[in-house]
Amino acid sequence: MSLETQINQDIKAAMIAKDTATLRGLRAIKAAILLAKTEKGHTEELNQEAEIKVLQKLVKQRRESAEIYKNQNREDLYQIEVEEEKVIEAYLPKQMSKEEVESVIKAIIAETGASSIKEMGKVMGAANQKLAGQADGKTISEVVKSLLA
């Protein structure tokens, strides 16, 4: 079942349950998927990789907004962003821990033969491909920097 079909079913269930927090998050996902489908150069259906990228982008937006609201002491808006983030994260694959990411990146460094921070780009490219959807770019970058430094 495609993500879009799953989201539509979950929207109906959230409407029946009158769960406004879940409904907000699901509607954000649906809107983002529709935007992605109508962008230039896209086919009719999104593949799983594209769906994951859309969801990761939404989660990142929610985290950044929540941080801004927290810094501005807007607890009401902060809570909304956190609730939506949790709903969106439920549709993403399980994220790897920092230790798991570190072990994968150590293997990539051994494969590529990288030994200095100058070769970070080569390692990052391979790591982003291998860990797509399982770890965010910020975590991957931090681990690569610490291992190559």
Side-chain angles (χ1 to χ4, degrees):
M1 176 181 343
S2 75
L3 178 65
E4 189 174 16
T5 307
Q6 179 68 41
I7 295 298
N8 285 331
Q9 290 176 355
D10 292 348
I11 285 175
K12 289 175 190 171
M15 288 174 131
I16 291 169
K18 296 188 185 335
D19 186 352
T20 57
T22 304
L23 194 55
R24 270 194 321 268
L26 292 172
R27 284 182 172 155
I29 294 171
K30 184 175 181 176
I33 289 173
L34 286 172
L35 276 172
K37 284 173 68 174
T38 58
E39 280 180 354
K40 260 188 177 173
H42 278 284
T43 57
E44 205 51 39
E45 284 296 313
L46 293 176
N47 61 14
Q48 189 174 7
E49 189 177 308
E51 290 172 343
I52 289 173
K53 283 184 180 180
V54 167
L55 293 175
Q56 285 177 324
K57 182 179 176 185
L58 289 174
V59 168
K60 184 178 179 187
Q61 289 173 343
R62 298 301 180 281
R63 283 189 183 135
E64 290 171 354
S65 296
E67 190 176 308
I68 291 169
Y69 292 141
K70 187 151 185 98
N71 291 339
Q72 295 177 348
N73 294 323
R74 292 294 311 264
E75 200 60 39
D76 54 334
L77 297 175
Y78 168 77
Q79 198 58 43
I80 290 171
E81 296 296 328
V82 170
E83 289 169 354
E84 288 181 17
E85 179 186 339
K86 286 179 185 171
V87 170
I88 296 166
E89 281 180 335
Y91 293 92
L92 280 170
K94 184 182 176 296
Q95 297 291 297
M96 295 173 82
S97 70
K98 196 166 185 169
E99 292 76 29
E100 293 170 322
V101 170
E102 196 169 311
S103 67
V104 171
I105 291 176
K106 282 180 182 175
I108 292 171
I109 289 173
E111 285 174 25
T112 59
S115 58
S116 71
I117 199 78
K118 291 179 184 176
E119 297 169 296
M120 183 176 170
K122 187 175 13 173
V123 176
M124 282 296 294
N128 282 331
Q129 273 188 331
K130 196 165 192 171
L131 299 172
Q134 299 174 336
D136 67 325
K138 186 176 179 184
T139 304
I140 294 171
S141 175
E142 288 172 0
V143 172
V144 170
K145 279 181 188 173
S146 69
L147 291 175
L148 289 178

